[in-house]
Amino acid sequence: MRKLSPLALVPLLLFPTLGYSENPAPHWVKSAIFYQIYPPSYQDSNGDGIGDIQGVIQRLDYIKSLGVNTLWFNPLFKSEFKDGGYDISDFYQVDPRYGSNSDLVRLIEEAHRRGLRVCLDLVAGHTSDQNAWFRESAEGKDRRYSDYYIWPDRVPDDVKGKQKDQVGGVIGEDSFVKTDAPRAPWYIKNYYASQPALNYGYAHPNPKHAWEQPVNAPGPMAVRREIENIMAFWMDKGVDGFRVDMASSIVKNDPDKKATISVWQDISSWYHTHYPDAVLISEWSNPKESSAAGFNIDFMMHTGKYNFTSLFFNRVGGEFEPTVSYFAKDGKGEIKTWYDLYREQYQATKGKSYISLPTGNHDIQRLNAGDRNSVDQLKVAMTFFLTMPGTPFIYYGDEIGMRFQTGLWNKEGSQGKPTKNRAGSRTPMQWDEGKNAGFSSTDYWNLYLPIDKNPQRPTVATEEKDPKSLLNYTRQLLKLRASSAALSADGEWRLVSSVTQPYPMVYLRSAGNERYLVALNPSDKPVNVSLPAIKISHASRVVGEAEQGELHIQQDKSDLNLAPISALVFKLE
């Protein structure tokens, strides 16, 4: 083992305790643990090779057994599926591939009966180009939906050669889509050309550009009310909340996001007034901005300035490539980049909203990717995700360590820019050793995406029987979290290791007199560290094995030894 490297008291002054005051989110959100389901890949009940709502209903008891309490579904609405369901042609209708509106209501009822809540994905910034609103808008200026979209009469000189900046809200030449519609020769897209942007207006409309309407113009105001109608339609059917896709993208030419925040304040005020027990989650990746906009939860993940890419991958798009990251076993990573970003956001949002560090999602590589592929490695990463403050989100299959698959083809827009292989994280759930891993009774070639062909692929059935499996480890962590105020979303958090000695990462969770010490060593080398500023009289190991490390308590300091690729959680007295 490496020589002990004592930590000075100074770093503890640099890394203060980060705690919460009373958060305005609905009470249940404070203990929410989300499970994300990509609908076509979870469970096929009718043998057509595509997952559906009835399939999810069949698996609700399993989902409940994990220790999660809230489901988030990627879009279930009627779609042309040019972007995995994010190109919606009818917001008020479940797509037939998944079932009917009645099926979704039954799913909500069955979930509620088991103590599970249900959240849907709201695509607020754009629709499909096959949406009836868009088709009518394309016909002329005197229709009901004419100003639901943005129709330039030209590509202005000041945007030619510029690329769209989605994060900064700047419209570039690539935002203009050529069309032969009677209305105008161009429309503004939001992502793919098949996804015309809804018109929430421009933060700073150019008077020379007739299509740039202010945010309070009749068209943009009508779009706001339509979004509220969609939310009300599904909330009144029992839904418990929404995750809003690309929430920061709605107002155009809004680099400081002030106009976007103002629009969402209007919508969220209506929403929280009419549905005070509902949650509103944003894909904004800037929690202090989304919190000001009225969202209860925001993600810190792989996009924008505030991200965790240095922890898990420095390259997001494309096939997995070896990179320097903290949770790689070569031990060459660092935590300062992530910590500085996280600390800024955490301090800005405590008592106001929650930050989520998701295990993964439908747009990024799974945890099990490249040489981060052993159960022990995945346990270290899962320990991090499920013992941090804020709101945990577990992406389906991560609880069993499903593998990010390389070499897949473009499936329903999965190979978009900048991400080249989103399909690798969207493959069917692996249930058992039966046909198609229990996902579907269809022939292999009819599957939505291929099942992992590795004969050692993880399955729920196999891991259920193994007390040391990742599945049962995840359950253990969630059970511990649910029993502890210190490990909850509101528990205080303090980094007690130093960013200058990144391995191990050690942090303290506390609430009142309850304290837990979490120690992570994702590297393949043993590490040692001295913790002089934590008063400990007794420590009980509650997560991890004895061979993974020891905490030696002394009068003036405590020494922590961690074996390679280890995670330990101690309850302190």
Side-chain angles (χ1 to χ4, degrees):
M1 289 189 172
R2 292 193 298 195
K3 185 179 179 181
L4 286 175
S5 175
L7 297 178
L9 292 174
V10 175
L12 296 179
L13 300 177
L14 295 177
F15 312 139
T17 295
L18 303 177
Y20 279 110
S21 58
E22 183 65 21
N23 191 297
H27 182 74
W28 67 267
V29 178
K30 302 174 189 298
S31 58
I33 299 169
F34 283 77
Y35 187 70
Q36 180 189 351
I37 293 177
Y38 193 68
S41 299
Y42 201 64
Q43 179 67 65
D44 170 22
S45 70
N46 60 8
D48 65 357
I50 300 175
D52 47 49
I53 291 172
Q54 291 295 338
V56 176
I57 293 173
Q58 294 172 11
R59 298 297 185 177
L60 285 175
D61 288 336
Y62 164 77
I63 294 169
K64 175 71 174 178
S65 78
L66 296 175
V68 303
N69 51 32
T70 312
L71 306 181
W72 159 38
F73 289 89
N74 291 100
L76 290 162
F77 309 131
K78 195 170 187 304
S79 174
E80 304 304 307
F81 294 103
K82 294 181 179 179
D83 185 20
Y86 283 91
D87 51 322
I88 294 174
S89 53
D90 188 345
F91 287 86
Y92 298 95
Q93 185 69 40
V94 167
D95 193 273
R97 67 155 52 169
Y98 301 132
S100 66
N101 287 17
S102 296
D103 291 329
L104 182 53
V105 170
R106 181 179 170 232
L107 167 62
I108 294 166
E109 293 171 347
E110 290 293 328
H112 287 175
R113 191 166 64 82
R114 293 167 172 81
L116 300 170
R117 288 182 167 85
V118 176
C119 292
L120 303 182
D121 213 320
L122 178 65
V123 184
H126 54 265
T127 71
S128 165
D129 60 1
Q130 299 304 305
N131 191 296
W133 306 340
F134 183 74
R135 295 201 305 269
E136 183 175 306
S137 180
E139 292 300 316
K141 299 180 180 181
D142 57 349
R143 311 299 177 89
R144 175 179 176 180
Y145 299 107
S146 292
D147 288 331
Y148 268 40
Y149 301 88
I150 306 168
W151 295 95
D153 58 26
R154 65 189 184 281
V155 179
D157 292 339
D158 60 353
V159 303
K160 289 181 178 178
K162 295 182 180 179
Q163 297 295 305
K164 176 176 62 175
D165 177 4
Q166 194 66 68
V167 175
V170 177
I171 294 292
E173 185 176 5
D174 59 337
S175 301
F176 290 71
V177 179
K178 186 68 175 174
T179 175
D180 58 1
R183 172 68 179 275
W186 304 89
Y187 64 84
I188 299 295
K189 69 173 184 176
N190 220 28
Y191 191 63
Y192 288 133
S194 58
Q195 294 167 312
L198 284 166
N199 180 22
Y200 291 85
Y202 282 65
H204 308 284
N206 187 333
K208 296 180 180 179
H209 302 161
W211 62 88
E212 296 187 10
Q213 300 178 358
V215 294
N216 60 353
M221 294 301 292
V223 170
R224 294 192 207 184
R225 302 294 82 85
E226 188 73 61
I227 292 299
E228 291 174 359
N229 288 341
I230 294 166
M231 298 169 88
F233 180 84
W234 293 108
M235 289 299 302
D236 292 345
K237 288 177 170 48
V239 169
D240 298 288
F242 295 93
R243 174 265 194 188
V244 180
D245 178 64
M246 296 174 63
S248 65
S249 73
I250 59 173
V251 177
K252 305 309 178 188
N253 284 353
D254 186 25
D256 60 9
K257 295 302 176 187
K258 289 182 180 179
T260 301
I261 290 171
S262 178
V263 170
W264 276 118
Q265 286 174 337
D266 177 38
I267 298 172
S268 65
S269 176
W270 168 88
Y271 177 76
H272 292 307
T273 298
H274 287 82
Y275 303 99
D277 200 40
V279 68
L280 195 59
I281 308 157
S282 66
E283 184 193 33
W284 196 302
S285 296
N286 191 331
K288 60 185 176 183
E289 289 185 350
S290 63
S291 180
F295 288 92
N296 305 119
I297 302 170
D298 189 17
F299 298 102
M300 186 176 186
M301 45 184 187
H302 65 293
T303 56
K305 174 182 177 181
Y306 299 98
N307 59 68
F308 63 19
T309 57
S310 62
L311 295 186
F312 293 98
F313 33 70
N314 286 344
R315 173 180 166 85
V316 177
E319 300 295 299
F320 185 88
E321 296 180 6
T323 59
V324 176
S325 63
Y326 182 74
F327 281 91
K329 65 183 179 181
D330 58 13
K332 297 179 180 179
E334 51 90 18
I335 62 172
K336 186 178 188 306
T337 300
W338 165 78
Y339 179 76
D340 288 346
L341 296 172
Y342 184 77
R343 179 177 59 171
E344 176 188 343
Q345 288 288 343
Y346 203 97
Q347 291 176 330
T349 58
K350 59 184 178 180
K352 301 175 183 177
S353 64
Y354 295 119
I355 297 172
S356 175
L357 300 167
T359 67
N361 69 26
H362 56 292
D363 284 336
I364 60 179
Q365 294 163 357
R366 285 191 179 274
L367 283 178
N368 186 345
D371 61 1
R372 185 172 56 244
N373 53 28
S374 72
V375 172
D376 288 342
Q377 288 174 287
L378 299 176
K379 284 182 177 180
V380 175
M382 193 64 79
T383 305
F384 170 77
F385 285 119
L386 300 186
T387 60
M388 286 291 288
T391 309
F393 276 69
I394 298 174
Y395 185 50
Y396 85 95
D398 282 353
E399 75 272 19
I400 61 171
M402 279 179 56
R403 183 174 65 97
F404 175 74
Q405 294 193 52
T406 59
L408 297 187
W409 53 89
N410 185 12
K411 178 68 174 181
E412 297 182 346
S414 63
Q415 292 187 357
K417 294 181 179 180
T419 309
K420 296 180 181 178
N421 180 12
R422 295 186 292 180
S425 295
R426 301 177 179 183
T427 56
M429 182 66 175
Q430 296 157 197
W431 294 104
D432 54 42
E433 297 306 311
K435 185 177 183 179
N436 297 318
F439 165 71
S440 174
S441 62
T442 192
D443 293 334
Y444 178 83
W445 296 110
N446 293 329
L447 294 175
Y448 174 76
L449 281 168
I451 291 285
D452 186 350
K453 294 182 179 180
N454 189 327
Q456 301 302 314
R457 67 191 177 209
T459 66
V460 170
T462 300
E463 295 198 14
E464 289 272 15
K465 303 172 186 176
D466 181 2
K468 294 187 176 182
S469 68
L470 179 63
L471 173 60
N472 285 315
Y473 185 79
T474 300
R475 287 172 168 155
Q476 177 191 3
L477 286 171
L478 291 179
K479 184 177 181 180
L480 176 64
R481 184 182 180 100
S483 70
S484 167
L487 291 171
S488 71
D490 290 315
E492 295 181 356
W493 181 84
R494 186 178 81 190
L495 182 69
V496 296
S497 58
S498 171
V499 294
T500 62
Q501 183 186 330
Y503 297 92
M505 183 196 299
V506 185
Y507 49 87
L508 187 69
R509 299 296 315 279
S510 62
N513 294 324
E514 185 183 55
R515 296 184 301 162
Y516 285 89
L517 189 73
V518 181
L520 308 172
N521 177 26
S523 78
D524 59 4
K525 305 173 185 63
V527 293
N528 307 278
V529 70
S530 183
L531 308 171
I534 304 177
K535 185 177 180 180
I536 303 173
S537 60
H538 179 72
S540 303
R541 177 174 44 81
V542 293
V543 174
E545 305 295 333
E547 61 268 22
Q548 290 183 301
E550 297 176 301
L551 179 62
H552 300 284
I553 302 170
Q554 302 178 42
Q555 186 172 0
D556 58 343
K557 65 183 178 72
S558 297
D559 295 332
L560 178 64
N561 306 325
L562 281 179
I565 311 178
S566 295
L568 294 172
V569 180
F570 297 95
K571 187 172 185 180
L572 305 183
E573 296 177 8

